Coordinates of all heavy atoms in Angstrom, one line a residue:
M255 N -41.5 19.1 -162.3 CA -42.0 19.1 -161.0 C -41.8 17.8 -160.3 O -41.4 17.7 -159.2 CB -43.5 19.4 -161.1 CG -44.2 20.4 -160.4 SD -43.5 21.7 -159.5 CE -44.9 22.2 -158.6
S256 N -42.1 16.7 -161.0 CA -41.9 15.4 -160.4 C -40.5 15.1 -160.1 O -40.2 14.3 -159.2 CB -42.5 14.3 -161.3 OG -41.8 14.3 -162.6
K257 N -39.5 15.6 -160.9 CA -38.1 15.4 -160.6 C -37.7 16.0 -159.3 O -37.0 15.5 -158.5 CB -37.3 16.0 -161.7 CG -35.8 15.7 -161.6 CD -35.0 16.3 -162.8 CE -33.6 15.9 -162.6 NZ -32.8 16.4 -163.7
D258 N -38.2 17.2 -158.9 CA -37.9 17.9 -157.7 C -38.5 17.0 -156.5 O -37.9 16.9 -155.5 CB -38.5 19.3 -157.6 CG -37.8 20.2 -158.6 OD1 -36.6 19.9 -158.9 OD2 -38.4 21.2 -159.0
R259 N -39.7 16.5 -156.7 CA -40.3 15.7 -155.7 C -39.5 14.4 -155.4 O -39.3 14.1 -154.2 CB -41.8 15.3 -156.1 CG -42.5 14.6 -155.0 CD -43.9 14.4 -155.4 NE -44.6 13.6 -154.4 CZ -45.6 12.8 -154.6 NH1 -46.1 12.7 -155.8 NH2 -46.1 12.1 -153.6
T260 N -39.1 13.7 -156.4 CA -38.3 12.5 -156.1 C -36.9 12.9 -155.5 O -36.5 12.1 -154.6 CB -38.0 11.7 -157.4 OG1 -37.4 12.6 -158.4 CG2 -39.3 11.2 -158.0
N261 N -36.3 14.0 -155.8 CA -35.1 14.4 -155.2 C -35.3 14.7 -153.7 O -34.5 14.4 -152.9 CB -34.5 15.7 -155.9 CG -33.2 16.0 -155.4 OD1 -32.4 15.2 -155.0 ND2 -32.8 17.3 -155.5
T262 N -36.5 15.4 -153.4 CA -36.8 15.7 -152.0 C -37.0 14.4 -151.2 O -36.6 14.3 -150.1 CB -38.0 16.6 -151.9 OG1 -37.8 17.8 -152.7 CG2 -38.3 17.0 -150.5
E263 N -37.7 13.5 -151.8 CA -38.0 12.2 -151.1 C -36.7 11.5 -150.9 O -36.5 10.8 -149.9 CB -38.9 11.4 -152.0 CG -40.4 11.9 -152.0 CD -41.3 11.1 -152.9 OE1 -40.8 10.2 -153.6 OE2 -42.4 11.4 -153.0
K264 N -35.8 11.5 -151.8 CA -34.5 10.9 -151.7 C -33.7 11.5 -150.6 O -33.0 10.8 -149.8 CB -33.7 11.0 -153.0 CG -32.3 10.3 -153.0 CD -31.6 10.4 -154.3 CE -30.2 9.8 -154.1 NZ -29.4 10.1 -155.3
L265 N -33.8 12.8 -150.4 CA -33.0 13.5 -149.4 C -33.5 13.1 -148.0 O -32.7 13.1 -147.0 CB -33.1 15.0 -149.5 CG -32.4 15.6 -150.7 CD1 -32.6 17.1 -150.8 CD2 -30.9 15.3 -150.6
F266 N -34.8 12.8 -147.8 CA -35.3 12.4 -146.5 C -34.7 11.0 -146.1 O -34.7 10.7 -145.0 CB -36.8 12.3 -146.5 CG -37.5 13.6 -146.3 CD1 -38.3 14.2 -147.3 CD2 -37.3 14.4 -145.2 CE1 -38.9 15.4 -147.2 CE2 -37.9 15.6 -145.0 CZ -38.7 16.1 -146.0
D267 N -34.2 10.2 -147.1 CA -33.7 8.9 -146.8 C -32.2 8.9 -146.6 O -31.6 7.9 -146.3 CB -34.0 7.9 -147.9 CG -35.5 7.6 -148.1 OD1 -36.2 7.7 -147.0 OD2 -36.0 7.3 -149.2
V268 N -31.5 10.1 -146.8 CA -30.1 10.2 -146.7 C -29.7 10.1 -145.2 O -28.8 9.3 -144.9 CB -29.6 11.5 -147.3 CG1 -28.1 11.8 -146.9 CG2 -29.8 11.5 -148.8
I269 N -30.3 10.8 -144.3 CA -29.9 10.8 -142.9 C -30.7 9.6 -142.2 O -31.9 9.6 -142.2 CB -30.3 12.1 -142.2 CG1 -29.5 13.2 -142.8 CG2 -30.0 12.0 -140.7 CD1 -29.9 14.6 -142.3
K270 N -29.9 8.7 -141.6 CA -30.5 7.5 -140.9 C -30.8 7.9 -139.5 O -31.9 7.6 -139.0 CB -29.6 6.3 -141.0 CG -29.5 5.8 -142.4 CD -28.7 4.6 -142.5 CE -28.6 4.0 -143.9 NZ -27.8 2.8 -143.9
R271 N -29.8 8.4 -138.7 CA -30.0 8.7 -137.3 C -28.8 9.6 -136.9 O -27.8 9.7 -137.5 CB -30.0 7.4 -136.5 CG -28.7 6.7 -136.4 CD -28.8 5.4 -135.6 NE -27.5 4.7 -135.6 CZ -26.6 4.9 -134.6 NH1 -26.8 5.7 -133.6 NH2 -25.4 4.2 -134.7
A272 N -29.0 10.2 -135.8 CA -28.0 11.0 -135.1 C -27.1 10.1 -134.3 O -27.6 9.2 -133.6 CB -28.6 12.1 -134.3
I273 N -25.8 10.4 -134.3 CA -24.9 9.6 -133.5 C -24.7 10.4 -132.2 O -24.1 11.5 -132.2 CB -23.6 9.3 -134.2 CG1 -23.9 8.4 -135.4 CG2 -22.6 8.7 -133.3 CD1 -22.7 8.2 -136.3
I274 N -25.1 9.9 -131.1 CA -25.0 10.5 -129.8 C -23.9 9.8 -128.9 O -24.1 8.7 -128.4 CB -26.3 10.5 -129.0 CG1 -27.5 11.0 -129.9 CG2 -26.2 11.3 -127.7 CD1 -27.4 12.4 -130.3
T275 N -22.7 10.5 -128.9 CA -21.6 10.0 -128.0 C -21.1 11.2 -127.2 O -21.5 12.3 -127.5 CB -20.5 9.4 -128.9 OG1 -20.0 10.4 -129.7 CG2 -21.0 8.2 -129.7
E276 N -20.2 10.9 -126.3 CA -19.6 11.9 -125.5 C -18.8 12.9 -126.4 O -18.9 14.1 -126.3 CB -18.7 11.3 -124.5 CG -18.2 12.4 -123.5 CD -17.4 11.7 -122.3 OE1 -17.5 10.5 -122.2 OE2 -16.7 12.5 -121.6
K277 N -18.1 12.4 -127.4 CA -17.3 13.2 -128.3 C -18.2 14.0 -129.2 O -17.9 15.2 -129.4 CB -16.4 12.3 -129.1 CG -15.4 13.0 -130.0 CD -14.5 12.1 -130.7 CE -13.5 12.8 -131.6 NZ -12.6 11.9 -132.3
S278 N -19.2 13.4 -129.7 CA -20.1 14.2 -130.6 C -20.9 15.3 -129.8 O -21.2 16.3 -130.4 CB -21.1 13.3 -131.3 OG -22.0 12.7 -130.5
M279 N -21.2 15.1 -128.6 CA -21.9 16.1 -127.8 C -21.0 17.2 -127.5 O -21.4 18.4 -127.4 CB -22.4 15.5 -126.5 CG -23.7 14.6 -126.7 SD -25.1 15.5 -127.2 CE -25.2 15.2 -128.9
M280 N -19.7 17.0 -127.3 CA -18.7 18.1 -127.0 C -18.6 18.9 -128.3 O -18.3 20.1 -128.2 CB -17.4 17.5 -126.6 CG -17.4 17.0 -125.2 SD -15.9 16.3 -124.5 CE -14.6 16.8 -125.5
A281 N -18.7 18.3 -129.5 CA -18.5 19.0 -130.7 C -19.7 19.9 -131.0 O -19.6 20.8 -131.9 CB -18.3 18.0 -131.9
T282 N -20.9 19.7 -130.4 CA -22.1 20.5 -130.7 C -21.8 22.0 -130.2 O -22.4 22.9 -130.8 CB -23.3 20.0 -129.9 OG1 -23.0 19.9 -128.5 CG2 -23.7 18.6 -130.5
S283 N -20.9 22.2 -129.3 CA -20.6 23.6 -128.9 C -19.9 24.3 -130.0 O -20.0 25.6 -130.1 CB -19.8 23.6 -127.6 OG -18.5 23.0 -127.9
L284 N -19.3 23.6 -130.9 CA -18.6 24.2 -132.1 C -19.5 24.2 -133.3 O -19.1 24.7 -134.4 CB -17.4 23.4 -132.4 CG -16.3 23.3 -131.3 CD1 -15.2 22.3 -131.8 CD2 -15.7 24.7 -131.0
G285 N -20.8 23.8 -133.2 CA -21.7 23.7 -134.3 C -21.5 22.5 -135.2 O -22.0 22.5 -136.3
Q286 N -20.9 21.5 -134.6 CA -20.7 20.2 -135.4 C -21.6 19.1 -134.9 O -21.7 18.9 -133.7 CB -19.2 19.8 -135.3 CG -18.3 20.8 -135.9 CD -16.8 20.3 -135.7 OE1 -16.6 19.4 -135.0 NE2 -15.9 21.0 -136.4
F287 N -22.3 18.5 -135.8 CA -23.3 17.4 -135.5 C -23.0 16.2 -136.3 O -22.6 16.3 -137.5 CB -24.7 17.9 -135.8 CG -25.1 19.1 -134.9 CD1 -24.9 20.4 -135.5 CD2 -25.5 19.0 -133.6 CE1 -25.2 21.5 -134.7 CE2 -25.8 20.1 -132.9 CZ -25.7 21.4 -133.4
T288 N -23.1 15.0 -135.7 CA -22.7 13.8 -136.3 C -24.0 13.0 -136.6 O -24.8 12.8 -135.8 CB -21.8 13.0 -135.4 OG1 -20.7 13.8 -135.0 CG2 -21.2 11.8 -136.1
F289 N -24.0 12.5 -137.9 CA -25.2 11.7 -138.3 C -24.7 10.4 -139.0 O -23.6 10.4 -139.6 CB -26.0 12.4 -139.4 CG -26.6 13.7 -138.9 CD1 -26.0 14.9 -139.1 CD2 -27.7 13.7 -138.1 CE1 -26.5 16.1 -138.7 CE2 -28.3 14.9 -137.6 CZ -27.7 16.1 -137.9
E290 N -25.4 9.3 -138.9 CA -25.2 8.1 -139.7 C -26.0 8.4 -141.0 O -27.2 8.7 -140.9 CB -25.7 6.9 -139.0 CG -25.4 5.6 -139.8 CD -25.9 4.4 -139.1 OE1 -26.1 4.4 -137.9 OE2 -26.0 3.4 -139.9
V291 N -25.3 8.2 -142.1 CA -26.0 8.5 -143.4 C -25.9 7.3 -144.3 O -25.2 6.3 -144.0 CB -25.3 9.7 -144.1 CG1 -25.5 11.0 -143.2 CG2 -23.8 9.5 -144.3
D292 N -26.6 7.4 -145.4 CA -26.6 6.4 -146.4 C -25.2 6.2 -147.0 O -24.5 7.2 -147.2 CB -27.6 6.7 -147.5 CG -27.8 5.6 -148.6 OD1 -27.6 4.4 -148.2 OD2 -28.0 5.9 -149.7
K293 N -24.8 5.0 -147.3 CA -23.4 4.8 -147.8 C -23.2 5.4 -149.1 O -22.0 5.7 -149.4 CB -23.1 3.3 -147.8 CG -22.9 2.6 -146.5 CD -22.4 1.2 -146.6 CE -23.6 0.3 -146.6 NZ -23.2 -1.1 -146.5
N294 N -24.2 5.5 -149.9 CA -24.0 6.1 -151.3 C -24.2 7.6 -151.4 O -24.2 8.1 -152.5 CB -25.0 5.3 -152.2 CG -24.7 3.9 -152.3 OD1 -23.5 3.4 -152.3 ND2 -25.7 3.1 -152.4
A295 N -24.5 8.2 -150.2 CA -24.8 9.7 -150.3 C -23.5 10.5 -150.4 O -22.4 10.1 -149.9 CB -25.4 10.1 -149.0
T296 N -23.6 11.5 -151.2 CA -22.5 12.4 -151.4 C -22.5 13.6 -150.4 O -23.5 13.7 -149.7 CB -22.5 13.0 -152.8 OG1 -23.7 13.8 -153.0 CG2 -22.5 12.0 -153.9
K297 N -21.4 14.3 -150.3 CA -21.4 15.4 -149.4 C -22.4 16.5 -149.7 O -23.1 17.1 -148.8 CB -20.0 16.1 -149.4 CG -19.0 15.2 -148.8 CD -17.6 15.9 -148.7 CE -16.6 15.1 -148.0 NZ -15.3 15.8 -147.8
V298 N -22.7 16.7 -151.0 CA -23.7 17.7 -151.4 C -25.1 17.2 -151.0 O -25.9 18.0 -150.4 CB -23.6 18.0 -152.9 CG1 -24.8 18.9 -153.4 CG2 -22.3 18.5 -153.3
E299 N -25.4 16.0 -151.2 CA -26.7 15.4 -150.8 C -26.9 15.5 -149.3 O -28.0 15.8 -148.8 CB -26.8 14.0 -151.3 CG -27.0 13.9 -152.7 CD -27.0 12.4 -153.2 OE1 -26.6 11.5 -152.5 OE2 -27.5 12.2 -154.3
I300 N -25.8 15.2 -148.5 CA -25.9 15.3 -147.0 C -26.2 16.7 -146.6 O -27.0 16.9 -145.7 CB -24.6 14.7 -146.4 CG1 -24.4 13.2 -146.7 CG2 -24.5 15.0 -144.9 CD1 -23.1 12.7 -146.4
A301 N -25.5 17.7 -147.2 CA -25.7 19.1 -146.8 C -27.2 19.5 -147.1 O -27.8 20.1 -146.3 CB -24.7 20.0 -147.6
Q302 N -27.7 19.1 -148.3 CA -29.1 19.4 -148.7 C -30.0 18.8 -147.7 O -31.1 19.3 -147.3 CB -29.3 19.0 -150.1 CG -28.6 19.8 -151.1 CD -28.8 19.3 -152.5 OE1 -29.3 18.2 -152.7 NE2 -28.3 20.0 -153.5
A303 N -29.8 17.5 -147.3 CA -30.7 16.8 -146.4 C -30.7 17.4 -145.0 O -31.8 17.5 -144.4 CB -30.2 15.3 -146.3
V304 N -29.6 17.9 -144.5 CA -29.6 18.5 -143.2 C -30.3 19.9 -143.3 O -31.1 20.2 -142.4 CB -28.1 18.7 -142.7 CG1 -28.0 19.6 -141.5 CG2 -27.5 17.4 -142.4
E305 N -30.1 20.6 -144.3 CA -30.8 21.9 -144.5 C -32.3 21.7 -144.6 O -33.1 22.5 -144.2 CB -30.2 22.7 -145.6 CG -28.8 23.3 -145.3 CD -28.2 24.0 -146.5 OE1 -28.8 24.0 -147.6 OE2 -27.1 24.5 -146.3
L306 N -32.7 20.6 -145.3 CA -34.1 20.3 -145.4 C -34.7 19.8 -144.1 O -35.8 20.2 -143.8 CB -34.3 19.3 -146.5 CG -35.7 18.8 -146.8 CD1 -36.5 20.0 -147.5 CD2 -35.7 17.6 -147.8
A307 N -34.0 19.0 -143.4 CA -34.5 18.5 -142.1 C -34.6 19.5 -141.0 O -35.4 19.5 -140.1 CB -33.7 17.3 -141.7
F308 N -33.6 20.5 -141.0 CA -33.5 21.5 -140.0 C -33.6 22.9 -140.6 O -32.5 23.4 -140.9 CB -32.3 21.3 -139.1 CG -32.2 19.9 -138.5 CD1 -31.3 19.0 -139.1 CD2 -32.9 19.6 -137.4 CE1 -31.2 17.8 -138.5 CE2 -32.8 18.3 -136.9 CZ -31.9 17.4 -137.4
P309 N -34.7 23.4 -141.0 CA -34.8 24.7 -141.7 C -34.2 25.8 -140.8 O -34.3 25.8 -139.6 CB -36.3 24.9 -141.9 CG -37.0 23.9 -141.1 CD -36.0 22.8 -140.7
G310 N -33.7 26.8 -141.5 CA -33.1 28.0 -140.8 C -31.6 27.8 -140.5 O -31.0 28.7 -140.0
R311 N -31.1 26.6 -140.8 CA -29.6 26.3 -140.5 C -28.9 26.3 -141.9 O -29.5 25.8 -142.9 CB -29.4 25.0 -139.8 CG -29.6 24.9 -138.3 CD -30.7 25.7 -137.8 NE -31.1 25.5 -136.4 CZ -32.3 25.2 -136.1 NH1 -33.3 25.1 -136.9 NH2 -32.6 25.0 -134.8
K312 N -27.7 26.7 -141.9 CA -26.9 26.7 -143.1 C -25.7 25.8 -142.9 O -24.9 26.0 -141.9 CB -26.4 28.1 -143.5 CG -25.6 28.2 -144.7 CD -26.4 28.0 -145.9 CE -25.5 28.2 -147.2 NZ -26.0 27.5 -148.3
V313 N -25.5 24.8 -143.7 CA -24.3 23.9 -143.6 C -23.1 24.5 -144.3 O -23.2 25.0 -145.4 CB -24.7 22.6 -144.3 CG1 -23.5 21.6 -144.3 CG2 -25.8 21.9 -143.6
T314 N -22.0 24.6 -143.5 CA -20.8 25.2 -144.0 C -19.8 24.2 -144.4 O -18.9 24.4 -145.3 CB -20.2 26.2 -143.0 OG1 -19.9 25.5 -141.8 CG2 -21.1 27.4 -142.8
K315 N -19.8 23.0 -143.8 CA -18.8 22.0 -144.0 C -19.4 20.6 -143.7 O -20.1 20.4 -142.8 CB -17.6 22.3 -143.1 CG -16.4 21.4 -143.4 CD -15.3 21.9 -142.4 CE -13.9 21.4 -142.9 NZ -12.9 21.8 -142.0
V316 N -19.0 19.6 -144.6 CA -19.4 18.3 -144.4 C -18.1 17.4 -144.5 O -17.4 17.4 -145.5 CB -20.4 17.8 -145.4 CG1 -20.8 16.3 -145.2 CG2 -21.7 18.6 -145.3
R317 N -17.9 16.6 -143.4 CA -16.8 15.6 -143.5 C -17.4 14.2 -143.3 O -18.3 14.0 -142.5 CB -15.8 15.9 -142.3 CG -15.1 17.2 -142.5 CD -14.1 17.5 -141.4 NE -14.9 17.6 -140.1 CZ -14.3 17.5 -138.9 NH1 -13.0 17.2 -138.8 NH2 -15.0 17.7 -137.9
T318 N -17.0 13.3 -144.1 CA -17.5 11.9 -144.1 C -16.5 10.9 -143.7 O -15.3 11.1 -144.0 CB -18.1 11.6 -145.5 OG1 -17.1 11.6 -146.5 CG2 -19.3 12.5 -145.8
V319 N -16.9 9.9 -143.1 CA -16.0 8.8 -142.7 C -16.7 7.5 -143.0 O -17.9 7.3 -142.6 CB -15.7 8.8 -141.2 CG1 -14.8 7.7 -140.8 CG2 -15.1 10.1 -140.8
Y320 N -16.1 6.6 -143.8 CA -16.6 5.3 -144.0 C -16.2 4.3 -142.9 O -15.0 4.2 -142.6 CB -16.1 4.7 -145.4 CG -16.6 3.3 -145.7 CD1 -17.9 3.1 -146.0 CD2 -15.7 2.3 -145.6 CE1 -18.3 1.8 -146.3 CE2 -16.1 1.0 -145.9 CZ -17.4 0.8 -146.2 OH -17.9 -0.5 -146.5
M321 N -17.1 3.7 -142.3 CA -16.9 2.8 -141.2 C -17.0 1.3 -141.7 O -18.2 0.8 -141.9 CB -17.9 3.0 -140.1 CG -17.9 4.5 -139.6 SD -16.4 5.1 -138.9 CE -16.4 4.2 -137.4
P322 N -15.9 0.6 -142.0 CA -16.0 -0.7 -142.5 C -16.5 -1.7 -141.5 O -16.5 -1.5 -140.3 CB -14.6 -1.1 -142.9 CG -13.7 -0.2 -142.1 CD -14.5 1.1 -141.8
S323 N -17.0 -2.9 -142.0 CA -17.5 -3.9 -141.0 C -16.3 -4.6 -140.4 O -15.2 -4.6 -141.0 CB -18.4 -4.9 -141.8 OG -17.6 -5.6 -142.7
H324 N -16.5 -5.1 -139.2 CA -15.4 -5.8 -138.6 C -16.0 -7.0 -137.9 O -17.2 -7.1 -137.6 CB -14.7 -4.9 -137.6 CG -15.5 -4.3 -136.5 ND1 -16.2 -3.2 -136.7 CD2 -15.8 -4.7 -135.3 CE1 -16.9 -2.9 -135.6 NE2 -16.6 -3.8 -134.7
E325 N -15.1 -7.9 -137.5 CA -15.5 -9.2 -136.9 C -15.8 -8.9 -135.4 O -15.1 -8.2 -134.7 CB -14.4 -10.2 -137.0 CG -14.9 -11.6 -136.8 CD -13.8 -12.6 -137.2 OE1 -12.9 -12.8 -136.4 OE2 -13.9 -13.2 -138.3
K326 N -16.9 -9.5 -134.9 CA -17.3 -9.4 -133.6 C -17.6 -10.7 -133.0 O -18.3 -11.5 -133.7 CB -18.5 -8.4 -133.5 CG -18.8 -8.0 -132.1 CD -19.9 -6.9 -132.1 CE -20.2 -6.5 -130.7 NZ -21.2 -5.4 -130.6
R327 N -17.2 -10.9 -131.8 CA -17.5 -12.2 -131.1 C -18.7 -12.1 -130.2 O -18.8 -11.2 -129.4 CB -16.3 -12.7 -130.4 CG -16.4 -14.0 -129.8 CD -15.1 -14.5 -129.2 NE -15.3 -15.7 -128.5 CZ -14.4 -16.5 -128.0 NH1 -13.1 -16.1 -128.1 NH2 -14.7 -17.6 -127.4
M328 N -19.6 -13.1 -130.3 CA -20.8 -13.1 -129.4 C -20.8 -14.6 -128.9 O -21.2 -15.5 -129.5 CB -22.0 -12.8 -130.2 CG -22.1 -11.4 -130.7 SD -23.5 -11.0 -131.7 CE -23.1 -11.8 -133.2
G329 N -20.2 -14.7 -127.6 CA -20.1 -16.0 -127.1 C -19.0 -16.8 -127.8 O -17.9 -16.3 -127.9
Y330 N -19.3 -18.0 -128.3 CA -18.3 -18.8 -129.0 C -18.5 -18.6 -130.5 O -17.8 -19.2 -131.3 CB -18.4 -20.2 -128.6 CG -19.7 -20.9 -128.9 CD1 -19.9 -21.5 -130.1 CD2 -20.7 -20.9 -128.0 CE1 -21.1 -22.1 -130.4 CE2 -21.9 -21.5 -128.3 CZ -22.1 -22.1 -129.5 OH -23.3 -22.7 -129.8
K331 N -19.5 -17.8 -130.9 CA -19.7 -17.6 -132.4 C -19.1 -16.3 -132.8 O -19.0 -15.3 -132.0 CB -21.2 -17.6 -132.7 CG -21.8 -18.9 -132.4 CD -23.3 -18.9 -132.8 CE -23.9 -20.2 -132.5 NZ -25.3 -20.2 -133.0
F332 N -18.7 -16.2 -134.1 CA -18.2 -15.0 -134.6 C -19.2 -14.5 -135.7 O -19.8 -15.2 -136.4 CB -16.8 -15.3 -135.3 CG -15.7 -15.5 -134.4 CD1 -15.4 -16.7 -134.0 CD2 -15.0 -14.4 -133.9 CE1 -14.3 -16.9 -133.1 CE2 -14.0 -14.6 -133.0 CZ -13.6 -15.9 -132.6
G333 N -19.3 -13.2 -135.8 CA -20.1 -12.5 -136.7 C -19.5 -11.3 -137.2 O -18.3 -11.0 -136.9
R334 N -20.2 -10.6 -138.1 CA -19.7 -9.3 -138.6 C -20.7 -8.2 -138.4 O -21.9 -8.4 -138.4 CB -19.4 -9.4 -140.1 CG -18.2 -10.4 -140.4 CD -17.7 -10.1 -141.8 NE -16.9 -8.9 -141.9 CZ -15.6 -8.8 -141.6 NH1 -15.0 -9.8 -141.0 NH2 -15.0 -7.7 -141.8
T335 N -20.2 -7.0 -138.1 CA -21.0 -5.8 -138.0 C -21.3 -5.3 -139.3 O -20.6 -5.6 -140.3 CB -20.4 -4.8 -137.1 OG1 -19.2 -4.3 -137.7 CG2 -20.1 -5.3 -135.7
D336 N -22.3 -4.4 -139.5 CA -22.6 -3.8 -140.7 C -21.7 -2.7 -141.0 O -21.3 -1.9 -140.1 CB -24.1 -3.3 -140.7 CG -25.1 -4.4 -140.7 OD1 -24.8 -5.5 -141.2 OD2 -26.2 -4.2 -140.3
S337 N -21.3 -2.5 -142.2 CA -20.5 -1.3 -142.6 C -21.5 -0.1 -142.7 O -22.7 -0.3 -142.9 CB -19.8 -1.5 -143.9 OG -20.7 -1.7 -144.9
S338 N -20.9 1.1 -142.4 CA -21.8 2.3 -142.5 C -21.0 3.5 -142.8 O -19.7 3.4 -143.0 CB -22.5 2.5 -141.1 OG -21.5 2.7 -140.1
K339 N -21.6 4.6 -142.9 CA -20.9 5.9 -143.2 C -21.5 6.9 -142.3 O -22.7 7.0 -142.0 CB -21.3 6.3 -144.7 CG -20.5 7.5 -145.2 CD -20.9 7.7 -146.7 CE -20.0 8.8 -147.3 NZ -20.3 8.9 -148.7
K340 N -20.6 7.7 -141.7 CA -21.1 8.8 -140.8 C -20.6 10.1 -141.4 O -19.5 10.2 -142.1 CB -20.7 8.6 -139.4 CG -19.2 8.7 -139.1 CD -19.0 8.5 -137.6 CE -17.5 8.6 -137.2 NZ -17.3 8.5 -135.8
A341 N -21.3 11.2 -141.1 CA -21.0 12.5 -141.5 C -20.9 13.5 -140.4 O -21.8 13.5 -139.5 CB -22.0 13.0 -142.5
I342 N -19.9 14.3 -140.3 CA -19.8 15.3 -139.3 C -20.1 16.6 -140.0 O -19.4 17.0 -140.9 CB -18.4 15.4 -138.7 CG1 -18.1 14.1 -137.9 CG2 -18.3 16.5 -137.7 CD1 -17.0 13.3 -138.5
V343 N -21.2 17.2 -139.7 CA -21.7 18.4 -140.4 C -21.5 19.7 -139.5 O -22.0 19.7 -138.4 CB -23.2 18.2 -140.7 CG1 -23.8 19.4 -141.5 CG2 -23.4 16.9 -141.5
T344 N -20.9 20.7 -140.1 CA -20.8 22.0 -139.4 C -21.9 22.9 -139.8 O -22.1 23.1 -141.0 CB -19.4 22.6 -139.7 OG1 -18.4 21.7 -139.4 CG2 -19.2 23.9 -138.9
V345 N -22.6 23.4 -138.8 CA -23.8 24.2 -139.1 C -23.7 25.6 -138.5 O -23.1 25.8 -137.4 CB -25.1 23.5 -138.5 CG1 -26.3 24.3 -138.7 CG2 -25.2 22.1 -139.0
T346 N -24.2 26.6 -139.3 CA -24.2 28.0 -138.7 C -25.7 28.3 -138.7 O -26.5 27.7 -139.3 CB -23.5 29.0 -139.6 OG1 -24.0 28.9 -140.9 CG2 -22.0 28.7 -139.7
G347 N -26.0 29.3 -137.9 CA -27.4 29.8 -137.8 C -28.1 29.2 -136.6 O -29.3 29.1 -136.6
G348 N -27.4 28.8 -135.6 CA -28.0 28.2 -134.4 C -27.7 26.8 -134.2 O -27.3 26.1 -135.2
T349 N -28.0 26.2 -133.0 CA -27.8 24.8 -132.8 C -29.0 24.0 -133.3 O -30.1 24.6 -133.5 CB -27.6 24.6 -131.3 OG1 -28.8 24.9 -130.6 CG2 -26.4 25.3 -130.8
I350 N -28.9 22.8 -133.3 CA -30.0 21.9 -133.6 C -30.5 21.4 -132.3 O -30.0 20.5 -131.7 CB -29.5 20.7 -134.5 CG1 -29.0 21.3 -135.9 CG2 -30.7 19.8 -134.8 CD1 -28.4 20.2 -136.8
E351 N -31.6 22.0 -131.9 CA -32.2 21.7 -130.5 C -32.7 20.3 -130.4 O -32.7 19.7 -129.3 CB -33.3 22.7 -130.2 CG -33.0 24.1 -130.1 CD -32.9 24.8 -131.5 OE1 -33.4 24.3 -132.5 OE2 -32.3 25.9 -131.5
E352 N -33.1 19.7 -131.5 CA -33.7 18.4 -131.4 C -32.6 17.4 -131.0 O -32.9 16.4 -130.3 CB -34.2 17.9 -132.8 CG -35.5 18.7 -133.2 CD -35.2 20.0 -133.8 OE1 -34.0 20.3 -134.1 OE2 -36.1 20.8 -134.1
L353 N -31.3 17.6 -131.3 CA -30.3 16.7 -130.9 C -29.8 17.0 -129.5 O -29.5 16.1 -128.8 CB -29.1 16.8 -131.9 CG -29.3 16.3 -133.3 CD1 -28.1 16.5 -134.1 CD2 -29.7 14.9 -133.3
T354 N -29.7 18.2 -129.2 CA -29.1 18.6 -127.9 C -30.1 18.3 -126.7 O -29.7 18.2 -125.6 CB -28.7 20.1 -127.8 OG1 -29.8 20.9 -128.1 CG2 -27.5 20.3 -128.8
A355 N -31.4 18.1 -127.1 CA -32.4 17.8 -126.1 C -32.4 16.4 -125.7 O -33.0 16.0 -124.7 CB -33.8 18.3 -126.6
I356 N -31.8 15.5 -126.5 CA -31.9 14.1 -126.2 C -31.0 13.7 -125.1 O -30.0 14.2 -124.8 CB -31.4 13.3 -127.5 CG1 -32.5 13.5 -128.6 CG2 -31.3 11.8 -127.2 CD1 -32.1 12.9 -129.9

């Protein structure tokens, strides 16, 4: 029992935020939604986290992209952005209204 609970708690930490861009909003008509996810998350964990966060939806495909850090200039100083990972998730069973309402 406790093993299932820790797995469920871990799944809630997989999805960090939804990525809202013009390109990602056009993909919602195809049932594809873009999320920033934990860098160590696998495709199976991402699919389980989306199905847990949005009940009634079935994940059919997960594509992941690693976004490396890059140098960025702020005034005369240079810094680095954080590296991250994003997932494009294809969902069947309806749209995710919480994302399209934003």
